[in-house]
Amino acid sequence: MTTLAARWVHRNLFAKPFDAALSLVIIPLLAWAVYAFGHWALVEAHWQVVGGSFKVLLTGIYPADQLWRAWFSVATLCAMFGAGLGLSVRPARAAMVAVASVAILIAAGVAAAIDVRSGLLTAGSAALGIAAWVGAHRSGVDQRIVLSGLLAGVVAIFVVLSPPGFEVWGGLLLSVVLTIAVSILTLPFGILLALGRQSRITSLRVISTAYIETMRSVPLILVVYWIWIIVPLLAPDTSVPGLLRGMAGFALFFAAYVAEYVRSGLQAVPRGQIEAARSLAMSTWTLNVDIVLPQALRVVVPSLVGQILDIFNGATLVFIIGLTDFLRAGQMILADPQNSGRAYEVYVFLFAVYLAIGGAITYASRRLEAHLARGS
Amino acid sequence: MSTEIAEYHSIPPARRGLLIASKWLLQAAIVIAVAGLVIWLGLAVREALARKGIQFSFGYLGHVANFSLSEGLVPSFAVGWPALESFSPSHSNLQALFAGLWNSLKVALSAIVLCTMFGTLVGIGRLSTNWLVRNLCFGLVEAIRNTPLLIQIVFWYFAVVLRFPPANAASNWFGGLLASRSGVFFPGLAISERAGAASWGLLALAFVLLVAGVALRGLRLRLILLAAAFSALAAAAVVGFPLGLDLPVATRFGARGGFSVSPEMTALLIAIVVNSSAYVAEIVRGAIEALPKGQWEASASLGLSRSHTLRDIILPQVFRIVLPSLANRYISLTKDTSLGIAIGFPDLFNVYGTVSNQTGRNLEGVVIVMLTYLALSWVISACVNGINARVNGRRAR
């Protein structure tokens, strides 16, 4: 065993003089960094600042007596995520044990930070998600049914969350719901733009290209801010909530990116497919809906899942229109003079949560890519 | 028989005319619909603004700005010739927007240079034979790419730069670099007043010779020109060198001297460089892995070391492949400077926000800002495409 370890160390860390020198510099530095961070995290840090503000971080200023609505959303999201997972990933025993233990850890953390009831609700939501995962996989339901179920889930979340008013949505809940809504909204618009850019009708092609290229050249923050400003001018009599205006800005911006992904998928469809369909006298509509798009979208699913991460990361920009997302909620906690010295705790927590969610999305995107590569 | 087929496939002239006409009608309908939508939007916004007493006009650009920016240079003709001076509230709104653009460009250009360098290093590090280096680089890249840029910017500003020591007790690195919470100070170049025309002339001569030596071909010619440049430089130093090093010093009232970078710009620049480096690293790594393995094997069989192979065989080819991806990254990076508003950096978007808040002119402002960002994107892709054509054209020859 020791010889095996020694051989591993020799081969991977000290194979050549240059590698050895690098290792000799990095190992002490890394050890020091790990020690310093560990000492800070376990001894010096006051994690109460995070634990005490969990409600603000996760839901912003959502009324405390209406929190069951937020819990409903969490459970629905878990179920949706599980069902979506069931479409592509087999619920192997190891994967389920890993997911379940992470869920138990999170639930225990929530129980310690807030109360036992919240911990149990978290565990219940996670169990629902795992059940949906296994259920969707075992029953072998049609993809279309699952996808329409996901859409229904999003609508249900909106209907349940909205009664207290859009302006009280906040925290991580706002970031997640915004991301999901925008991801869905961008799809039809982006597909239309991609088809427009490929169209044989010159004017349609020019207009779609101009839209895509303009949106891709300007910053997201400019689009979101401007849509937010311009909507009240267009509709002076109705007051459109800031959240919906923000969503419109995000959707208009990211549709251009979706269009480019879809276009790359359209180009991957062999020309023979289109020629064959045309020789069967299919109309343009049937050709696109039944022949081209199913093949094109299949190819770009990993990119579209990766795009969800861009939307989630971009959702931090809603501070510009006065909404309180996850990052903004953390900054609001730090604005309290009592907490001003606790910046590192709050930022480390925010960073860890963002990294966990972002890492999960990236992992899903890569798994899907590998899955599709194996299938073809 | 062939005429038969031709007749069978030809469309009767009357119907052909109809087909062409319907095609044109469709085109016209689409153009009219979209143009109508855009014009309706524009008119509705203009009307709404008119109701607030704001007429659509670019005249406000010439009005006095009446607000101040923490940094930014503007072109001015106050001294008789075009010169750059610091922005002040008495300048016009147009000059304010220019100062914003100047600040954006300042960050974007520095970040482009720095992220290319660091990104390449990290990208090579991801393929290192050293397990630690490889996995450290992988972890860093993933941690940065999977988190929002905004939290990185905010973290660098509030948790790092603003926690530097105050200026009067600034930490002094390597004798020349001062880091304090009121900014980072680099050694600058100072013009000494004692220098005469002779030394300026010699310096200019040295510069011209140096440029010629780099630009012209021929080894011997180059050597002669470079030697001449160095002797001119030496002569200038003997006569009395016109340029001196201006080192920043921390005093009781703050840091003084040198070339200073504001804390906002420091944080924004660090955040964008670190973030973009991660993306550049992925681009470079992908390109290195995409090269045929035979390249490595061939140079190994010729007895070249790994670092030698990387420097002389792999990287020159990699830079030909990565240029289009790098252009996309540079454009994203330039757009990312607009997040500076979160930490109060007066970039183009921030100044646009201030100007339109003050004047209520969102429509005109957004047109200007959009066109500016479009122009920036075009300039960046044109530059990179130019380099790309040059580099790849040479290979074809």
Side-chain angles (χ1 to χ4, degrees):
Chain A
M1 198 61 210
T2 42
T3 53
L4 213 67
R7 195 181 297 161
W8 186 91
V9 167
H10 179 257
R11 190 172 293 160
N12 288 298
L13 298 179
F14 296 95
K16 288 182 295 182
F18 183 64
D19 280 353
L22 274 178
S23 296
L24 285 180
V25 175
I26 290 173
I27 291 172
L29 273 178
L30 197 64
W32 173 80
V34 168
Y35 170 76
F37 182 78
H39 185 260
W40 170 81
L42 297 175
V43 181
E44 290 172 33
H46 288 67
W47 293 108
Q48 301 93 307
V49 64
V50 173
S53 336
F54 244 53
K55 199 240 136 203
V56 175
L57 282 171
L58 298 185
T59 59
I61 54 165
Y62 208 80
D65 55 339
Q66 302 283 322
L67 276 185
W68 65 270
R69 297 173 186 278
W71 280 112
F72 171 82
S73 315
V74 171
T76 313
L77 282 173
C78 284
M80 283 164 60
F81 192 73
L85 213 59
L87 284 184
S88 54
V89 183
R90 198 169 57 84
R93 189 175 294 265
M96 278 173 53
V97 168
V99 170
S101 35
V102 170
I104 290 171
L105 269 180
I106 294 175
V110 170
I114 312 175
D115 53 19
V116 178
R117 192 175 140 268
S118 308
L120 286 176
L121 281 167
T122 312
S125 306
L128 191 62
I130 294 175
W133 183 13
V134 177
H137 190 80
R138 289 271 166 80
S139 62
V141 282
D142 192 37
Q143 282 195 4
R144 292 187 191 186
I145 296 176
V146 175
L147 289 179
S148 36
L150 295 185
L151 269 181
V154 176
V155 174
I157 289 176
F158 260 84
V159 170
V160 170
L161 277 180
S162 48
F166 284 115
E167 55 280 1
V168 296
W169 293 27
L172 188 59
L173 188 68
L174 171 75
S175 307
V176 171
V177 175
L178 181 85
T179 305
I180 293 175
V182 171
S183 310
I184 292 171
L185 284 175
T186 47
L187 266 183
F189 193 29
I191 291 172
L192 285 182
L193 276 173
L195 289 176
R197 196 170 180 171
Q198 296 265 298
S199 167
R200 287 185 296 178
I201 304 165
T202 318
S203 55
L204 207 57
R205 201 167 58 229
V206 169
I207 290 166
S208 307
T209 310
Y211 180 85
I212 293 171
E213 291 304 324
T214 310
M215 276 298 169
R216 278 159 49 90
S217 303
V218 296
L220 170 62
I221 198 170
L222 179 68
V223 178
V224 172
Y225 178 70
W226 199 61
I227 297 291
W228 183 71
I229 292 264
I230 224 71
V231 168
L233 293 177
L234 290 176
D237 307 321
T238 51
S239 77
V240 185
L243 178 68
L244 297 187
R245 286 186 259 163
M247 276 182 190
F250 273 86
L252 289 175
F253 179 82
F254 280 108
Y257 288 79
V258 169
E260 284 300 273
Y261 288 128
V262 173
R263 187 165 72 111
S264 72
L266 290 177
Q267 283 168 347
V269 176
R271 272 213 70 78
Q273 298 275 334
I274 298 164
E275 283 158 8
R278 283 222 182 280
S279 73
L280 290 173
M282 279 192 183
S283 68
T284 310
W285 172 262
T286 330
L287 164 75
N288 277 323
V289 171
D290 287 345
I291 308 291
V292 176
L293 279 179
Q295 301 185 59
L297 290 182
R298 210 176 119 81
V299 182
V300 294
V301 162
S303 313
L304 290 179
V305 172
Q307 157 107 343
I308 296 177
L309 177 61
D310 288 342
I311 299 174
F312 184 64
N313 285 345
T316 50
L317 300 191
V318 294
F319 80 91
I320 197 73
I321 56 174
L323 298 178
T324 311
D325 75 314
F326 189 42
L327 174 60
R328 192 79 191 151
Q331 288 186 294
M332 271 167 60
I333 292 166
L334 290 177
D336 182 354
Q338 206 184 331
N339 296 330
S340 62
R342 303 269 86 91
Y344 290 120
E345 286 87 340
V346 172
Y347 282 126
V348 165
F349 176 74
L350 294 179
F351 195 82
V353 173
Y354 273 120
L355 187 57
I357 296 175
I361 297 174
T362 306
Y363 177 75
S365 162
R366 284 188 191 153
R367 274 301 291 268
L368 279 170
E369 207 168 352
H371 186 75
L372 287 175
R374 240 195 347 260
S376 58
Chain B
M1 193 182 149
S2 63
T3 47
E4 240 176 64
I5 293 175
E7 268 167 16
Y8 181 72
H9 278 279
S10 73
I11 301 162
R15 219 179 134 220
R16 196 189 300 156
L18 211 67
L19 265 177
I20 293 174
S22 73
K23 227 171 215 172
W24 278 106
L25 267 177
L26 185 63
Q27 302 256 17
I30 292 167
V31 170
I32 288 171
V34 172
L37 186 70
V38 170
I39 291 172
W40 173 75
L41 276 175
L43 285 180
V45 171
R46 206 177 78 162
E47 202 175 303
L49 287 173
R51 252 179 279 131
K52 287 186 177 178
I54 299 167
Q55 299 295 327
F56 184 86
S57 118
F58 285 96
Y60 79 105
L61 289 174
H63 298 171
V64 172
N66 263 333
F67 60 84
S68 52
L69 298 175
S70 57
E71 57 188 297
L73 296 181
V74 292
S76 146
F77 296 90
V79 277
W81 62 83
L84 288 170
E85 61 184 32
S86 297
F87 179 78
S88 70
S90 60
H91 283 117
S92 68
N93 284 323
L94 183 64
Q95 282 172 313
L97 286 172
F98 183 91
L101 176 64
W102 173 271
N103 287 332
S104 292
L105 284 180
K106 197 163 72 175
V107 174
L109 288 179
S110 331
I112 283 175
V113 174
L114 292 172
C115 82
T116 311
M117 282 165 25
F118 290 126
T120 310
L121 276 180
V122 176
I124 294 170
R126 282 211 53 185
L127 297 168
S128 163
T129 47
N130 187 320
W131 183 88
L132 259 182
V133 173
R134 199 166 61 222
N135 285 289
L136 265 183
C137 290
F138 172 74
L140 282 178
V141 167
E142 289 299 310
I144 287 163
R145 278 161 46 102
N146 287 320
T147 48
L149 172 60
L150 191 65
I151 190 177
Q152 296 171 23
I153 293 176
V154 168
F155 174 82
W156 284 110
Y157 185 61
F158 290 106
V160 178
V161 173
L162 286 191
R163 290 175 178 237
F164 282 166
N168 53 11
S171 47
N172 201 329
W173 296 331
F174 312 116
L177 187 70
L178 277 189
S180 77
R181 68 179 61 160
S182 47
V184 175
F185 297 79
F186 292 98
L189 283 177
I191 297 165
S192 74
E193 284 128 17
R194 288 171 299 133
S199 62
W200 277 114
L202 281 168
L203 196 67
L205 181 68
F207 182 72
V208 170
L209 287 170
L210 200 68
V211 170
V214 172
L216 293 177
R217 282 165 184 273
L219 188 63
R220 184 176 292 179
L221 187 67
R222 275 188 176 187
L223 277 178
I224 292 173
L225 282 171
L226 288 184
F230 275 110
S231 32
L233 213 60
V238 169
V239 176
F241 201 65
L243 293 176
L245 215 52
D246 179 20
L247 292 177
V249 260
T251 64
R252 210 138 49 92
F253 307 106
R256 189 163 47 76
F259 161 74
S260 74
V261 179
S262 69
E264 290 80 25
M265 174 161 167
T266 311
L268 186 63
L269 187 61
I270 296 176
I272 289 185
V273 166
V274 169
N275 187 271
S276 286
S277 297
Y279 286 90
V280 172
E282 277 303 281
I283 295 171
V284 169
R285 182 195 62 92
I288 294 180
E289 286 189 332
L291 282 183
K293 261 198 118 54
Q295 298 280 332
W296 289 96
E297 290 161 358
S299 44
S301 72
L302 288 173
L304 290 178
S305 71
R306 205 181 143 84
S307 58
H308 213 119
T309 310
L310 199 63
R311 201 183 62 219
D312 291 343
I313 312 285
I314 303 297
L315 283 186
Q317 303 185 65
V318 160
F319 274 105
R320 286 186 181 142
I321 312 175
V322 297
L323 278 171
S325 319
L326 280 186
N328 280 337
R329 191 61 229 158
Y330 294 160
I331 290 171
S332 315
L333 174 160
T334 310
K335 294 191 295 173
D336 286 344
T337 58
S338 60
L339 298 194
I341 191 170
I343 55 171
F345 179 73
D347 74 307
L348 180 61
F349 176 70
N350 194 347
V351 175
Y352 150 73
T354 312
V355 170
S356 44
N357 269 346
Q358 296 243 329
T359 58
R361 293 182 181 279
N362 280 301
L363 202 54
E364 298 91 331
V366 87
V367 170
I368 297 174
V369 174
M370 246 180 182
L371 289 179
T372 314
Y373 277 114
L374 269 176
L376 284 180
S377 299
W378 284 334
V379 168
I380 292 173
S381 50
C383 285
V384 177
N385 283 342
I387 298 172
N388 200 15
R390 216 183 123 121
V391 167
N392 286 318
R394 203 173 277 167
R395 183 174 56 173
R397 214 181 293 154

